[in-house]
């Protein structure tokens, strides 16, 4: 019998896809999912901080939205000027100015109620100290922020789904849209990320009948794990309602999820080349994506000159693991599971490499082995 689980509303941006605001500590760091565990059949509702409750006064809500949009527009224009000043003075100067300038700019973006922009600006301050090649990475990040700024300033001329993605990336809540999708959902992975004020839990799900991959988010205040928790490897019957936006994978869970008996089959998957193609296609829909969920079939963990990678069994192509993934115990769990033989691995493919989250061996394809 399912147990209803509720999440306390916590103010937070609603990230979509896999973005730097929810990875890499916010970034690519994946913490083991801890706390708030409900048994199989537990049901949960994620309370979206931007969607809790009804709108008592639509006109007042419209005016508030207009005022916030005006503040974000002002912040985006100020940020454009800061980027222009940086390029005019030369990237080398960024290595001498330290974090102070960018922290001040990020605070201005927070004042403008644009937390998505604030998070990206904070990353700029850390890049000069990130090792060799930092000017290239700094220029890339500046270009992405400039693209987001310009997209916000011209959002009224963009296709509606892409305009929704832009608003979400800036930091506005992601709206729920479309009809609920009922399926038997295989729980692929669950992990937490957090900062000083918020813990974010991401749960990846795969619809065994419809073939849809989706994720749900839940939040907890700093130091408190979110209440919503699904057992990795379980198959649950329930509904997910997708969020709006181009290339959108986030969904809102229904009231109840109940366990389903029967064999567990991992997502179909494909070779490394297919995973890279999928990530490239997703970037066309959302250029600010940090990673995209893919399943690699028939790959072997192998150590290369630059670190660990997952290589096609025929040796045709290989995908390096992210630096964070190479420093976690899950890597050795994956190596032991493989034993030099091909395995199926689900994870997130991005510009920094691949982060493995779950795996299956040919000998036990019904057993999902968590890697985070």
């Amino acid at each position: 019998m399912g147990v209803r689980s509720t999440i306390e509303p916590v103010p937070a941006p609603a990230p979509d896809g896999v973005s730097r605001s929810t990875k890499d500590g916010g970034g690519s760091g994946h913490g083991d999912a801890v706390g708030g565990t409900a048994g199989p059949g537990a049901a949960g509702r994620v309370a979206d901080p931007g969607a809790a409750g009804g709108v008592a006064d639509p006109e007042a809500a419209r005016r508030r939205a207009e005022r916030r949009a005006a503040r974000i527009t002002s912040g985006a224009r100020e940020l454009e000027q800061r980027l222009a000043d940086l390029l005019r003075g030369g990237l080398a100067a960024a290595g001498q100015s330290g974090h102070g300038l960018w922290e001040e700019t990020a605070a201005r973006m927070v004042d403008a109620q644009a937390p998505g922009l604030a998070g990206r600006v904070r990353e700029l301050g850390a890049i000069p100290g990130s090792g060799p090649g930092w000017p290239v990475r700094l220029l890339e990040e500046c270009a992405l922020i400039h693209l987001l700024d310009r997209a916000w300033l011209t959002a009224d001329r963009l296709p509606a789904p892409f305009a929704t993605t832009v608003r979400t990336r800036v930091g506005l809540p992601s709206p729920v849209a479309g009809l609920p999708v009922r399926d038997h959902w295989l729980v692929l992975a669950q992990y937490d990320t957090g900062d000083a004020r918020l813990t974010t839990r991401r749960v990846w799900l795969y619809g065994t009948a419809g073939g849809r991959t989706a994720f749900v988010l839940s939040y907890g205040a700093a130091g408190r794990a979110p209440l919503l928790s699904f057992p990795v490897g379980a198959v649950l019957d329930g509904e997910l309602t997708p969020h709006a936006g181009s290339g959108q994978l986030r969904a809102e869970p229904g009231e109840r999820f109940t366990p389903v008996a029967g064999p567990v089959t991992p997502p179909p998957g494909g070779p490394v080349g297919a995973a890279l193609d999928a990530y490239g296609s997703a970037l066309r829909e959302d250029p600010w994506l940090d990673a995209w969920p893919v399943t690699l079939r028939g790959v072997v963990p192998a150590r290369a000159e630059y670190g660990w990678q997952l290589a096609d069994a025929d040796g045709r192509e290989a995908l390096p693991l992210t630096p964070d993934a190479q420093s976690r115990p899950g890597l050795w769990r994956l190596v032991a599971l493989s034993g030099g033989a091909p395995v199926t691995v689900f994870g997130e493919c991005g510009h920094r490499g691949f982060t493995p989250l779950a795996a299956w061996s040919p000998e036990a394809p019904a057993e999902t082995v968590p890697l985070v």
Side-chain angles (χ1 to χ4, degrees), residues 216-264:
V216 299
L217 294 177
S218 60
Y219 303 99
R224 296 173 55 189
L227 297 180
L228 182 67
S229 182
F230 289 153
V232 173
V235 178
L236 306 175
D237 176 49
E239 291 184 344
L240 296 179
T241 304
H243 280 231
S246 57
Q248 182 55 254
L249 295 180
R250 185 183 174 187
E252 203 73 16
E255 289 286 341
R256 302 181 69 83
F257 281 78
T258 55
V260 178
V264 174

Side-chain angles (χ1 to χ4, degrees), residues 138-350:
L138 181 61
L139 186 59
E140 290 172 347
E141 292 299 324
C142 287
L144 284 172
I145 293 176
H146 170 68
L147 181 63
L148 184 55
D149 280 344
R150 299 309 304 172
W152 169 265
L153 296 173
T154 59
D156 57 337
R157 301 200 295 271
L158 298 175
F162 187 63
T164 299
T165 296
V166 169
R167 295 185 183 100
T168 300
R169 290 302 183 197
V170 165
L172 295 177
S174 171
V176 175
L179 299 175
V181 178
R182 183 158 193 168
D183 207 330
H184 290 172
W185 300 97
L186 170 62
V187 183
L188 297 172
Q190 174 177 288
Y191 62 85
D192 294 351
T193 56
D195 55 27
R197 74 181 187 92
L198 188 71
T199 299
T200 300
R201 173 164 293 166
R202 180 183 295 263
V203 184
W204 282 109
L205 303 166
Y206 172 72
T208 58
R212 182 182 190 131
T213 301
F215 71 89
V216 299
L217 294 177
S218 60
Y219 303 99
R224 296 173 55 189
L227 297 180
L228 182 67
S229 182
F230 289 153
V232 173
V235 178
L236 306 175
D237 176 49
E239 291 184 344
L240 296 179
T241 304
H243 280 231
S246 57
Q248 182 55 254
L249 295 180
R250 185 183 174 187
E252 203 73 16
E255 289 286 341
R256 302 181 69 83
F257 281 78
T258 55
V260 178
V264 174
T265 304
V272 168
L276 295 174
D277 289 342
Y279 176 51
S281 297
L283 284 175
R284 291 201 301 265
E285 301 292 330
D286 182 354
W288 304 280
L289 271 178
D290 193 39
W292 187 254
V294 297
T295 301
L296 302 175
R297 180 172 290 277
V299 292
V300 181
R303 192 171 184 86
E305 180 181 352
Y306 49 80
W308 285 92
Q309 62 182 11
L310 292 176
D312 290 331
D314 60 9
R316 179 173 299 179
E317 293 181 285
L319 191 56
L321 300 188
T322 61
D324 283 346
Q326 297 193 44
S327 65
R328 296 195 193 104
L331 168 61
W332 304 111
R333 203 175 306 150
L334 176 59
V335 172
L337 179 70
S338 166
V343 291
T344 298
V345 184
F346 168 79
E348 295 168 353
C349 178

Side-chain angles (χ1 to χ4, degrees), residues 11-98:
D16 303 301
V18 183
S19 68
R20 294 172 179 81
S21 59
T22 57
K23 293 185 73 212
D24 283 342
S28 56
H30 303 286
D32 289 341
V34 293
T37 303
R45 175 184 295 277
V46 179
D48 192 322
V55 179
D57 186 345
E59 180 60 25
R62 183 187 64 79
R63 289 195 298 269
R64 286 194 299 271
E66 288 178 349
R67 288 195 296 268
R68 181 175 185 181
R71 284 192 288 268
I72 294 174
T73 296
S74 176
R77 287 175 174 154
E78 178 181 346
L79 183 52
E80 283 290 278
Q81 185 59 51
R82 294 290 179 100
L83 294 176
D85 292 343
L86 170 65
L87 297 180
R88 189 178 299 112
L91 295 180
Q96 303 167 2
S97 59

